Amino acid sequence: MHYIKQSIVILLACVLTASSFLYGMYQTPQQQAIARQLRERRNRKNQIPKTHGLLLFLDNTESLEKNPSAIMFSFAQAIFEKAGPIIATASVVQGLTIKKTTYNVDFFDKLNSAYEHELISDEKYWPLRYKIGFSLIGFNAQDWIIKGVDNSYSHYLLIPKTYLQAKGIKPEDVASVTTKKELTATELTLGLKVNHMHTVVKPSSYVLTPTDPLRVLWDANANKSAVFVINEEYKAYPTIKPPQWALYINGHGRKGEIVVGAPLDAFRVFLTFLERKIKTLLLYYNSCYAAGLTNKKLYEDAEQAITRTYPFVIITQALTDAAVSSEVQKIKSANGILSLSPSTMFKTFFKEVEGSDSVDYRAVAKALLYDVIPGEVGWSLPQVKLPGVEWFSVIDTNKAVTIGDVMAQARKDPLDIATFFRSHGKNVNPYAILLYAPEIPFELIINTPKVPAIVSMIPGKAHHEIKKISSASHSVKSLIGSFLTMSALTVEKEFVIEELVGINRGFISTAPDGLITLKNVSVSLWYNSETEKDAYEVSFEYDNNKYLLDDFSPNSPIEHID
């Protein structure tokens, strides 16, 4: 019996050896050479992490001379940090042509003062402000490997040499170009087709980006990617494990039509690409109107009455049907010298995503989130859609109270926001109260240190009815103002409150200074596209009189309605 077992073991060993030999025979010399290089690279001390990060800045509307805006400023921040690979459309990279220039502190202060006092227009201020900031970066093309992603140079790939060196990859191996069809060892390691892209010294061509800036990443019609090594291509190298990707994308959006610069249909195709063609761990995108109605159109299939789910984490840095913001680089002065304030938002992103097989999406969102002020939350609370889950939910539940249909239907007793948060071990000063339910049949008591923003989370046009809002510490005017924190809404949001109790503080000149009760309060807000300003209308009743308020400046008068 022992002899038989030994024979079986020997036979299996022979079969495995023969299989390995036969597999080697069927590999081309090119594939065998690549396999050897990859084995050597895996044995190095600094191995490529299992997850690769990538930053994308997609736009074809901003320009250096007229309107540098959110996307160009975010790209400048990424260049400043040199955290990892970047893909940017041609119009976004125009700042790379800015030469390092010394600007006088006095000049910079006078420029900002003129802008604050409206003595200089946006069209003149922001191009100059951008040039000053990018000049302080001191971009040096020698620190980067720069590639034209496609033949038209509509997109560029920029990889810091320090990033490559930290991963044990020689920059010259990335800079080299091949005309052969076979993928190189460097491409298989990075997961990017760097050796099939032209290397450029510095971008000099600024062609308009196609209507769909995502198509260069994945052309569904041609079933190919000019950027990524896709799963099918890795099948020729079965001993090589494809990397998984964590993507950050920044681009402009338009309600229900465009997200990160691409039409919604194109973005949906891109989601399918991330699901089926490469291994994706995380998609994080920052775009105006990238929640609310846009999410509804992107992820809901009305014909099949289902909501699409994906096997990777999706984060949108948007809260509802409103504009979002990107941070402008902070410039400081000391001893008469201007310099950029340190920032590590993108470095932290790469550190979080490239460290393991999983992702701490809370840490990622915290790294990429700009400063948020309680009561002025507007747009800046990221939402996450977890693998296999149909809905998005706010990531940082310490900053928001969520009132959904279940709570609205089950609760009748007053909800004291501060007490509720304290009992759940959370911050007693939430940034926002998020209303998913159209009707709130109970009283909201708001005695928090600051008045939180009250935000409609119903996609598109929405109408909410609230039984009562009361506060023993805040004025009626600040309570009404809590509904008006959203910026550039493209749909109307309306709130009707049966009773609103707060401190008068001179809000109504004929009323006492203490607590007063307003009835039938109506608050409507929207964005006026003609004036390009936020618009709102507020009406209420007090002491059997009707009032209309359309100005929330500190000394605003109240128009009496007969």
Side-chain angles (χ1 to χ4, degrees):
M1 191 68 177
H2 176 74
Y3 172 76
I4 294 174
K5 286 183 178 179
Q6 189 177 33
S7 300
I8 292 173
V9 172
I10 293 172
L11 178 60
L12 287 172
C14 291
V15 170
L16 292 172
T17 303
S19 298
S20 300
F21 174 72
L22 289 172
Y23 171 70
M25 288 180 61
Y26 285 110
Q27 281 187 309
T28 65
Q30 174 78 2
Q31 290 173 329
Q32 291 176 4
I34 289 173
R36 284 195 301 273
Q37 291 181 47
L38 289 170
R39 284 195 298 272
E40 293 172 0
R41 190 166 283 165
R42 281 197 300 269
N43 290 331
R44 293 178 184 174
K45 182 178 180 180
N46 295 321
Q47 296 184 0
I48 295 295
K50 296 178 181 178
T51 301
H52 294 184
L54 180 64
L55 308 176
L56 299 100
F57 302 92
L58 310 177
D59 175 69
N60 63 358
T61 62
E62 299 179 16
S63 70
L64 182 60
E65 298 303 326
K66 293 183 179 180
N67 61 333
S69 190
I71 316 307
M72 291 183 69
F73 274 103
S74 292
F75 169 74
Q77 183 62 44
I79 291 294
F80 176 53
E81 292 189 36
K82 290 195 286 191
I86 301 168
I87 288 178
T89 47
S91 61
V92 174
V93 303
Q94 295 176 61
L96 301 182
T97 61
I98 296 174
K99 296 181 179 179
K100 188 173 179 62
T101 306
T102 301
Y103 286 92
N104 184 278
V105 173
D106 184 56
F107 168 79
F108 182 67
D109 291 340
K110 288 181 179 178
L111 174 68
N112 288 327
S113 177
Y115 184 68
E116 290 172 3
H117 291 86
E118 299 183 353
L119 300 176
I120 183 174
S121 65
D122 285 346
E123 291 75 14
K124 291 184 178 180
Y125 173 77
W126 286 111
L128 189 52
R129 172 65 172 76
Y130 187 83
K131 289 177 182 178
I132 294 173
F134 216 105
S135 172
L136 292 173
I137 293 174
F139 175 77
N140 185 352
Q142 298 300 315
D143 296 335
W144 299 75
I145 299 296
I146 306 175
K147 296 276 185 173
V149 171
D150 56 351
N151 292 330
S152 65
Y153 292 95
S154 66
H155 295 63
Y156 289 91
L157 168 66
L158 303 96
I159 308 178
K161 290 181 179 179
T162 52
Y163 174 87
L164 295 171
Q165 291 163 348
K167 304 296 181 281
I169 299 175
K170 297 178 181 179
E172 55 267 30
D173 290 344
V174 178
S176 66
V177 179
T178 181
T179 57
K180 296 179 180 179
K181 291 184 178 180
E182 289 87 359
L183 295 167
T184 68
T186 300
E187 290 176 320
L188 292 168
T189 301
L190 283 174
L192 301 172
K193 296 179 178 178
V194 290
N195 300 125
H196 286 81
M197 302 176 188
H198 295 293
T199 301
V200 297
V201 176
K202 182 182 287 190
S204 58
S205 173
Y206 302 115
V207 299
L208 280 178
T209 308
T211 306
D212 174 13
L214 292 172
R215 187 167 181 174
V216 72
L217 306 177
W218 171 243
D219 187 341
N221 295 327
N223 197 39
K224 67 179 182 179
S225 172
V227 176
F228 295 95
V229 180
I230 61 177
N231 295 334
E232 287 86 343
E233 292 170 315
Y234 274 105
K235 289 180 180 178
Y237 309 90
T239 60
I240 303 171
K241 185 178 180 180
Q244 58 182 0
W245 288 97
L247 308 180
Y248 169 88
I249 309 181
N250 197 337
H252 288 297
R254 189 162 63 236
K255 177 186 68 74
E257 298 179 18
I258 292 174
V259 65
V260 295
L264 296 193
D265 287 344
F267 190 81
R268 199 177 293 115
V269 170
F270 182 63
L271 287 170
T272 302
F273 163 74
L274 297 180
E275 178 183 23
R276 300 178 183 176
K277 297 298 181 179
I278 62 175
K279 295 183 182 298
T280 306
L281 178 69
L282 168 69
L283 170 64
Y284 189 115
Y285 55 97
N286 186 10
S287 185
C288 288
Y289 309 103
L293 188 61
T294 296
N295 268 359
K296 186 179 179 67
K297 287 188 174 183
L298 269 178
Y299 298 103
E300 291 187 10
D301 190 325
E303 293 183 1
Q304 300 184 35
I306 61 171
T307 301
R308 297 179 182 88
T309 63
Y310 294 89
F312 49 88
V313 176
I314 302 175
I315 298 177
T316 173
Q317 192 167 304
L319 190 60
T320 184
D321 302 291
V324 301
S325 67
S326 290
E327 187 161 285
V328 175
Q329 292 165 298
K330 294 182 174 64
I331 299 177
K332 62 181 181 179
S333 60
N335 300 321
I337 299 175
L338 294 176
S339 62
L340 293 175
S341 297
S343 176
T344 59
M345 57 184 295
F346 292 123
K347 285 184 179 180
T348 304
F349 170 78
F350 278 93
K351 179 182 177 181
E352 290 293 338
V353 301
E354 294 197 341
S356 65
D357 283 337
S358 60
V359 59
D360 184 344
Y361 59 86
R362 289 185 176 86
V364 170
K366 183 178 180 180
L368 298 174
L369 181 62
Y370 309 111
D371 293 336
V372 182
I373 301 172
E376 299 180 9
V377 59
W379 46 82
S380 302
L381 289 180
Q383 299 184 82
V384 62
K385 181 179 171 72
L386 296 173
V389 175
E390 294 183 352
W391 60 86
F392 279 85
S393 55
V394 172
I395 291 176
D396 194 343
T397 55
N398 285 316
K399 294 179 179 177
V401 176
T402 297
I403 302 178
D405 289 327
V406 174
M407 178 184 284
Q409 292 171 11
R411 191 179 186 96
K412 300 300 179 184
D413 296 332
L415 177 64
D416 188 314
I417 301 301
T419 302
F420 176 81
F421 258 53
R422 189 181 295 110
S423 66
H424 287 74
K426 298 180 180 180
N427 179 10
V428 297
N429 193 27
Y431 288 23
I433 301 173
L434 308 180
L435 304 183
Y436 291 86
E439 184 177 355
I440 313 300
F442 50 84
E443 177 185 1
L444 296 176
I445 302 173
I446 303 175
N447 290 319
T448 51
K450 292 187 177 181
V451 180
I454 301 179
V455 181
S456 171
M457 297 298 289
I458 296 177
K461 186 176 181 179
H463 176 88
H464 295 270
E465 294 187 5
I466 304 172
K467 182 178 180 179
K468 184 178 181 179
I469 295 177
S470 65
S471 175
S473 57
H474 297 298
S475 69
V476 289
K477 189 172 184 179
S478 61
L479 292 174
I480 293 174
S482 67
F483 292 96
L484 304 175
T485 63
M486 302 307 295
S487 174
L489 281 171
T490 53
V491 290
E492 184 178 0
K493 304 288 185 179
E494 184 180 27
F495 306 87
V496 176
I497 306 99
E498 289 183 29
E499 287 189 12
L500 189 146
V501 180
I503 304 172
N504 183 22
R505 289 180 184 161
F507 183 59
I508 298 178
S509 59
T510 57
D513 287 336
L515 292 175
I516 61 173
T517 299
L518 309 183
K519 294 186 176 181
N520 299 320
V521 179
S522 176
V523 181
S524 298
L525 61 155
W526 66 96
Y527 184 73
N528 190 325
S529 57
E530 294 182 359
T531 62
E532 296 185 345
K533 293 182 178 180
D534 296 315
Y536 49 82
E537 184 176 274
V538 176
S539 64
F540 57 86
E541 296 176 8
Y542 175 73
D543 195 21
N544 296 320
N545 291 316
K546 293 183 178 180
Y547 295 86
L548 176 67
L549 184 64
D550 58 5
D551 182 5
F552 267 77
S553 60
N555 300 312
S556 60
I558 299 176
E559 179 182 347
H560 181 265
I561 304 175
D562 295 324

